[in-house]
Amino acid sequence: MKVTINGTAHELPSGATVTQAVQRLTGARSGVAVAVNDEVVSRSSWDSTALVEADRVEVLTAVQGG
Amino acid sequence: MDDDLTIGGEKFSSRLIMGTGGAPSLEILEQALAVSGTELTTVAMRRLDPSAPGSVLDVLRRRGIKVLPNTAGCFTAGEAVLTARLAREALETDWVKLEVISDERTLLPDPIETFDAAERLVADGFVVLPYIGDDPALARRLEQAGCAAVMPLGAPIGSGLGIRNPHNIELIVESAKVPVILDAGIGTASDAALAMELGCDAVLLATAVTRAQRPDLMAQAMRSAVVAGRQARLAGRIPRRRYAEASSPMNP
């Protein structure tokens, strides 16, 4: 299935979880946060949250600013 | 002198809050933050870039500085609330510098969206520090809404224009029962000192240090200026007079 991760299309196996989407970008689990279709998915739910076709996944972290 | 700043029940001995934007490198940023003596520093939330070298979070952690995520780049209350929730998840803090801007040319804060977001974030358990214009009425309303501080601007972000309306800053200080943090517009040390002399509880600045020719030296200057301004405020300045008052005896 196709999902969008940080604005880029990715092909993931059907039933893939948020954890698998995050791993496309980073192995880190701390210091990052995830929203799927503009809803925050808490870290403790990454492994149990399955994505579906066309989901928009945003993986954010802190950068210099302000 | 024991003169701690208390925000949201947490004490800070430094009244200089730093931003991290604009530094030419993480090394220069880390040096400037260390010299500034800051204990609270802002970061922004952005899409993770796997190729980015180093992390500003590592710098703050190494220096024992509390992280204050902001919602920079948000134009609506909805975007700001989502960004704050993501920051809480990523950084494990419920503190947020709420920043909702109205347009990209001035980066001035949008008061309507800011107030809406503040109410929603306070209800969601956040310690909310909103960036606002120098508007005493809005500052009062945000305090009543449960914000932990108010952060009026001196001048637009990054402009270095100093404090354009000192009178309004004084009005905000006079009625506020939460800390007033002068945020944005600081260009040089005298601007930071003035903010403290006007009665602000702290100063937040970034560009003035990070884009200075020597960031470490400017960080030192800002640290000294905030301390000097605070001391002058506590000391109580003399009244202004139209004519001279002799400081030496006039009799022969």
Side-chain angles (χ1 to χ4, degrees), chain A residues 6-53:
Chain A
N6 282 359
T8 305
H10 284 257
E11 185 70 36
L12 290 178
S14 78
T17 63
V18 168
T19 301
Q20 286 166 277
V22 172
Q23 281 169 348
R24 286 293 172 99
L25 300 184
T26 177
R29 285 184 74 95
S30 67
V32 296
V34 175
V36 177
N37 305 329
D38 294 335
E39 289 291 333
V40 178
V41 179
S42 67
R43 193 171 296 112
S44 57
S45 305
W46 288 3
D47 288 336
S48 57
T49 303
L51 297 170
V52 298
E53 177 79 24

Side-chain angles (χ1 to χ4, degrees), chain B residues 118-164:
Chain B
E119 283 190 317
R120 288 154 70 176
L121 290 170
V122 168
D124 198 9
F126 281 89
V127 174
V128 182
L129 293 75
Y131 167 61
I132 57 172
D134 53 12
D135 179 350
L138 179 62
R140 195 178 312 120
R141 291 292 296 266
L142 285 163
E143 178 181 325
Q144 288 164 354
C147 290
V150 289
M151 311 182 84
L153 55 72
I157 292 168
S159 68
L161 288 171
I163 300 175
R164 304 313 299 164

Side-chain angles (χ1 to χ4, degrees), chain B residues 1 6 10 14 24 40 61 63 65 69 131 137-139 148 168 170 193 198 207 215 221 228 242 245 251:
Chain B
M1 184 179 65
T6 304
E10 209 160 313
S14 168
L40 182 63
R61 206 169 293 133
R63 294 290 169 180
I65 300 170
Y131 167 61
L138 179 62
N168 272 26
E170 280 184 310
L198 292 171
T207 312
R242 285 199 64 176
E245 185 184 53
N251 51 328

Side-chain angles (χ1 to χ4, degrees), chain B residues 22 29 35 74 81 121 150 156 163 168 188 202 204 208 210 212 234 238 240:
Chain B
L29 175 67
V35 170
C74 294
V81 169
L121 290 170
V150 289
I163 300 175
N168 272 26
T188 188
L204 194 161
T210 58
L234 294 176
I238 59 167
R240 290 176 174 84

Side-chain angles (χ1 to χ4, degrees), chain B residues 4-153:
Chain B
D4 286 340
L5 165 68
T6 304
I7 306 172
E10 209 160 313
K11 282 187 192 305
F12 302 89
S13 55
S14 168
R15 290 174 179 270
L16 178 55
I17 302 170
M18 292 289 295
T20 53
S25 74
L26 282 176
E27 290 71 27
I28 290 171
L29 175 67
E30 180 161 2
Q31 198 183 2
L33 291 177
V35 170
S36 78
T38 187
E39 297 165 342
L40 182 63
T41 291
T42 66
V43 296
M45 298 300 296
R46 289 293 180 274
R47 283 174 171 172
L48 185 139
D49 172 7
S51 65
S55 158
V56 66
L57 282 181
D58 293 336
V59 171
L60 299 186
R61 206 169 293 133
R62 216 163 27 235
R63 294 290 169 180
I65 300 170
K66 183 181 172 75
V67 63
L68 176 61
N70 68 27
T71 63
C74 294
F75 287 86
T76 67
E79 288 170 11
V81 169
L82 176 61
T83 302
R85 287 180 176 150
L86 285 163
R88 176 166 66 182
E89 177 69 19
L91 309 180
E92 289 159 20
T93 176
D94 50 14
W95 285 42
V96 63
K97 175 189 162 183
L98 174 60
E99 185 177 331
V100 191
I101 54 172
S102 58
D103 69 89
E104 282 179 6
R105 192 169 64 88
T106 67
L107 300 179
L108 287 171
D110 182 315
I112 313 292
E113 297 294 325
T114 301
F115 188 82
D116 181 12
E119 283 190 317
R120 288 154 70 176
L121 290 170
V122 168
D124 198 9
F126 281 89
V127 174
V128 182
L129 293 75
Y131 167 61
I132 57 172
D134 53 12
D135 179 350
L138 179 62
R140 195 178 312 120
R141 291 292 296 266
L142 285 163
E143 178 181 325
Q144 288 164 354
C147 290
V150 289
M151 311 182 84
L153 55 72

